[in-house]
Amino acid sequence: MIIRPIVRSLCAGAMVLAASIVFIAPGVASPPPDQHRAPRAPALPEGLSALSWVVADATTGDVLASRAPHMHLPPASTLKTLFALTVLPKLPAEKLHTVVPADLAGLGAGSSQVGVEEGSAYRVADLWRGVFLRSGGDAVHVLAAMNGGVQKTIADMRQRAAQLGADDTRVMSPDGYDAPGQYSSAYDLALFGRAGLADPAFAQYCSTAVASFPGGVESDGRVGSSFEIQNTNRLLTGTKDVDPYPGLIGIKNGYTTLAGNTLIAAAHRGNRTLIVTVMNPQAGSVYEEARSLLDWGFAADDKVQPVGALRPAGVNPAVLHPANAKPTAEAAPQPAQAPPVGGTSHSGAREGFMSPINLAAVGALLISLVGSLWLLRRRMRR
């Protein structure tokens, strides 16, 4: 009879510990970002409505501030950054490819296109300009075909994401077009942006504001005239509603009905380069929210305690300014890789085992054990 209450108490303690371990699965919230600010740090911008965002230093990988950085959200065309990290190093820039109907099969209805024509030959470099400037899904599909097909490219992208430690990304389409089960996170998009800056060709393409794209074949067989394409990243090119951001390097913007507006933006000022990712603002402009976060990041230089780090730590961006990036006819070298590692320790991030929640669970178990020993001693006195 003595053993029954002991067993019940031990089981209760074990259940408390097990419940705690389940509770600290990825996605648990940590303190809000402004609790990590040092006394001299500027306040975070007001009115930020994005579901998820990250501000990080491209050189050190330090995450300066974030909101729900590991929230799984549709990435839209910002996923093309992972596509470029995966495929760009494999294809020489001057390689010519004649487009066949199969290359454009499966292109999503209503997806953005640069104007690739069946039967026309394009250089790989032109196709990449179509990807980065016009977010051309048609250019993505042609490059994917050159890489062995869409399904192989999706598999390659998943492998590349794993190499970078991008645990919040699941690829279902190479161009970011909405697909069931596809998602990424502000943290992972910042990873992709930082890795991209380590590749001179990537840095050059993503920072190009205006380029010429070759025309397709006319009905009489003549090649049409080239036409100008402009980067759709408004912080880079500027519009009547959005002023260009000083020192912007670029990277990639996106939009779908499901994802809303998404953006990866990098800017250089002095000896510092920042990366900002913004996903699905609920009010206002994705560009203005990114602008306010970039302004905050530069003003917070050396005044904040990092709340996490982009992984892998071994990535060292060799090209932090587009003036130093010059794509060549040869395939660009692949950025340094490291084994998959964990994420940040900020809002929505993964927590370590000995978090306060775990310590409380251990304490509860110890209390249960002490209670069991007391009960056993009391029974023995009877």
Side-chain angles (χ1 to χ4, degrees):
M1 298 297 293
I2 295 175
I3 198 67
R4 289 181 180 177
I6 297 175
V7 171
R8 284 199 297 268
S9 184
L10 288 173
C11 289
M15 289 174 67
V16 171
L17 180 59
S20 173
I21 293 173
V22 172
F23 184 72
I24 63 163
V28 67
S30 293
D34 57 350
Q35 291 188 13
H36 295 266
R37 292 190 295 114
R40 296 183 299 116
L44 285 164
E46 295 182 357
L48 295 173
S49 67
L51 297 180
S52 177
W53 53 263
V54 164
V55 182
D57 187 297
T59 305
T60 64
D62 289 340
V63 176
L64 307 183
S66 63
R67 172 182 292 165
H70 295 283
M71 179 183 289
H72 292 174
L73 294 168
S77 287
T78 53
L79 193 64
K80 290 182 173 77
T81 56
L82 177 59
F83 172 74
L85 289 173
T86 304
V87 178
L88 198 157
K90 300 179 180 180
L91 303 176
E94 297 301 321
K95 181 179 177 66
L96 279 172
H97 177 78
T98 300
V99 178
V100 298
D103 294 345
L104 300 175
L107 191 62
S111 61
S112 55
Q113 300 183 37
V114 66
V116 171
E117 298 281 354
E118 295 177 7
S120 293
Y122 297 89
R123 291 188 309 144
V124 165
D126 289 324
L127 293 171
W128 282 119
R129 280 185 277 271
V131 170
F132 278 96
L133 275 68
R134 296 299 301 172
S135 204
D138 48 358
V140 168
H141 276 251
V142 173
L143 290 165
M146 297 177 69
N147 184 58
V150 168
Q151 293 307 313
K152 179 183 181 299
T153 299
I154 289 173
D156 290 348
M157 291 172 67
R158 291 175 177 175
Q159 182 180 30
R160 188 74 176 100
Q163 290 171 344
L164 290 169
D167 299 330
D168 302 319
T169 297
R170 185 185 184 201
V171 181
M172 302 299 290
S173 68
D175 55 3
Y177 188 82
D178 287 338
Q182 179 164 272
Y183 52 79
S184 190
S185 70
Y187 177 88
D188 283 6
L189 294 181
L191 277 179
F192 303 152
R194 185 179 182 224
L197 292 181
D199 183 336
F202 184 111
Q204 177 69 20
Y205 289 130
C206 80
S207 64
T208 301
V210 179
S212 178
F213 194 81
V217 178
E218 303 287 354
S219 58
D220 60 1
R222 292 182 296 112
V223 177
S225 301
S226 297
F227 55 93
E228 183 180 279
I229 57 175
Q230 180 171 305
N231 202 309
T232 58
N233 184 347
R234 297 181 187 178
L235 281 185
L236 181 65
T237 58
T239 65
K240 65 178 182 179
D241 300 319
V242 179
D243 293 330
Y245 191 85
L248 194 84
I249 297 172
I251 296 190
K252 194 70 190 74
N253 57 312
Y255 174 81
T256 66
T257 302
L258 186 61
N261 286 290
T262 58
L263 178 67
I264 310 170
H268 187 80
R269 184 180 298 176
N271 60 354
R272 194 158 187 224
T273 299
L274 294 181
I275 294 175
V276 165
T277 56
V278 180
M279 300 189 77
N280 201 348
Q282 301 298 288
S285 164
V286 69
Y287 298 106
E288 295 310 321
E289 295 201 11
R291 181 193 304 277
S292 66
L293 288 170
L294 285 168
D295 286 344
W296 176 85
F298 286 118
D301 188 11
D302 298 326
K303 299 186 180 87
V304 294
Q305 177 184 354
V307 298
L310 299 179
R311 307 293 185 187
V315 170
N316 179 23
V319 181
L320 296 179
H321 196 277
N324 298 326
K326 296 180 180 179
T328 66
E330 300 299 323
Q334 191 164 359
Q337 299 173 2
V341 292
T344 83
S345 59
H346 190 58
S347 176
R350 307 165 182 85
E351 298 288 4
F353 182 76
M354 294 308 292
S355 67
I357 297 172
N358 279 338
L359 291 174
V362 172
L365 181 57
L366 290 175
I367 291 171
S368 297
L369 293 173
V370 170
S372 299
L373 292 174
W374 176 83
L375 183 58
L376 175 61
R377 182 177 180 182
R378 184 178 178 185
R379 294 264 184 181
M380 291 176 66
R381 286 177 177 177
R382 292 182 179 178

